[in-house]
Every structure is written in C-alpha cells, then in structure tokens.
Amino acid sequence: MKALTAVLLPLALFAACGSSSSPTPADNALPVDPSGQIPELSGLSTAHFAEGCFWCAEEVFESVKGVKEVISGYSGGTEKNPTYEEVSSGRTGHAESIEVYFDPEVVSFETLVKVFFASQDPTTPDRQGPDAGAQYRSIAFYETPTQKATIEDEIKKLNASGQYDRPIVTQVVPFEKFWPAEAYHQDYIRHNPGDPYVQSVSIPRFDRFKAKMPEVLK
C-alpha cells in the first residue's frame, strides 16, 4: 500500500482538476427553480471568481465566515450550458469558476476579494499549480463600478507590496452568466477526501490559505 501511494501522489500532480475517473456524486445538490435561482439562498449577495480548480476554490470560500453556499461552475466564455468536457477542451472560453452566496452584513465583498487573491498564485497566466489551460485562468468578476474599483485597488496594493516576483495577471471583467457544473463537482473535496488530486493539491492549497487568513475562518 505504501508503494502504491508513493506512485499515485506524484502522478496526481500531473492530473488536471476534474480528471478522476470514478467520482462520488454529490448527495445534496441544491434545487434550482426555472429562473435559475436557488430558492433557499434568495436575499443573499453573490460574487463570482475563477482561480484554477473549482474544487479548491469552493473549499476555500465555504470556510469563510458569512459565506452561506458556494457553487462550482463555469463563466467567462460564450458557450451556453457548457459541460466539463467542453470547458476542458479550451474551446468555450469559459474558466472553472465559483458562485459565492454571502451575507454582506457578515463579510464584505472587499474581504472576499482578499480571500480570492490569498488562495491562489495570481501571477501565472492560464495556470494554477499543476493545472494548465485557459480554463484555469484567474478572473475576478464584477457587477458594479464599486466592485471593479475594489478589485483593481487590491491588485495595485499587491503589485506594490513586493509580495510577488511577477505582476498579477488576474483578469478583471464584468460578470455576465454563470453555469453550474455537473452535480459530481459540487462539494467534491468533502465527498472525495481520498482522491489523489485532493490529497496532493487541493488540501495543501487550502492549508496555505488558512495559514494566511485565519481571522476569516468559520
């Protein structure tokens, strides 16, 4: 068993997010009404981000105080009702993204933007960790001029801080449409904690984020 584990974990570093052959499906998929809304989350604010593998991003944002739900999906492209396979081909223009439902009286959009940057390397174009391709690019979506200014101000601060050796390449674009991913992608880490990719990539990334921003954790 130890020998098998030693082989699997290095191989996982070269496997893309979502490439597992036999994922465990989620058992708590939230109901969506005909308008595309999730009834039990009505009244909450939403934010949308893309920062590489959506399994990792979902786990990070669900750990933040004031965040009620996070949905994995696709955004930033033109294809309607895209599938994981289509997005992975790189031809849709979509990136693996998340939709964050949050209570603005508990956590601000500004804090979510800080979480976004603290939980990734925003200096790698079309790549996050072992995952390469335009579907893994870093995007901060905005819905208002104020949100756009908040994102751009944070980028300026980070670029000036000397924290990174290279400039931030995160795209700052207006939000248009979010497409929820397939059910088996939702809460993937919780349902598949033993997945080699989760063990070698997702969990270490989550641990690095927790060490950076312990004050925002639930």
Side-chain angles (χ1 to χ4, degrees):
M1 181 61 70
K2 290 182 179 179
L4 178 60
T5 302
V7 172
L8 285 176
L9 291 182
L11 286 176
L13 293 174
F14 300 95
C17 168
S19 63
S20 298
S21 58
S22 56
T24 300
D27 57 10
N28 65 336
L30 292 168
V32 177
D33 67 24
S35 69
Q37 302 299 311
I38 300 173
E40 67 182 76
L41 299 178
S42 61
L44 295 172
S45 296
T46 57
H48 299 85
F49 302 102
E51 53 171 285
C53 178
F54 48 21
W55 298 346
C56 308
E58 181 182 5
E59 185 77 359
V60 165
F61 278 85
E62 284 192 339
S63 73
V64 175
K65 288 181 290 189
V67 172
K68 303 301 183 181
E69 183 62 64
V70 182
I71 309 297
S72 288
Y74 314 109
S75 195
T78 57
E79 189 78 15
K80 295 181 179 180
N81 297 305
T83 65
Y84 173 76
E85 288 74 19
E86 290 170 339
V87 173
S88 296
S89 74
R91 296 191 296 269
T92 67
H94 287 298
E96 290 194 11
S97 306
I98 54 170
E99 184 168 65
V100 182
Y101 289 83
F102 67 100
D103 183 346
E105 294 188 2
V106 179
V107 61
S108 65
F109 180 79
E110 181 180 4
T111 295
L112 294 181
V113 169
K114 292 181 183 297
V115 168
F116 167 73
F117 284 109
S119 55
Q120 62 168 311
D121 180 351
T123 70
T124 51
D126 293 345
R127 172 180 287 278
Q128 195 60 222
D131 301 316
Q135 68 270 30
Y136 298 114
R137 69 192 186 276
S138 176
I139 311 174
F141 297 94
Y142 64 86
E143 297 185 42
T144 66
T146 299
Q147 288 186 348
K148 181 182 181 183
T150 297
I151 297 165
E152 291 177 337
D153 286 347
E154 184 66 15
I155 291 175
K156 289 178 183 177
K157 291 176 185 176
L158 289 172
N159 277 329
S161 70
Q163 180 176 341
Y164 300 105
D165 296 331
R166 296 167 294 185
I168 289 173
V169 296
T170 296
Q171 297 177 354
V172 182
V173 300
F175 173 72
E176 293 185 5
K177 177 71 176 179
F178 177 83
W179 302 94
E182 295 82 349
Y184 77 86
H185 285 300
Q186 309 305 330
D187 296 312
Y188 187 89
I189 292 176
R190 179 163 63 85
H191 288 283
N192 301 273
D195 181 286
Y197 179 96
V198 168
Q199 288 288 318
S200 61
V201 180
S202 303
I203 292 176
R205 179 176 165 186
F206 183 39
D207 287 342
R208 290 193 295 271
F209 162 71
K210 290 190 292 184
K212 286 183 179 179
M213 297 188 70
E215 70 279 5
V216 305
L217 300 176
K218 292 176 180 174

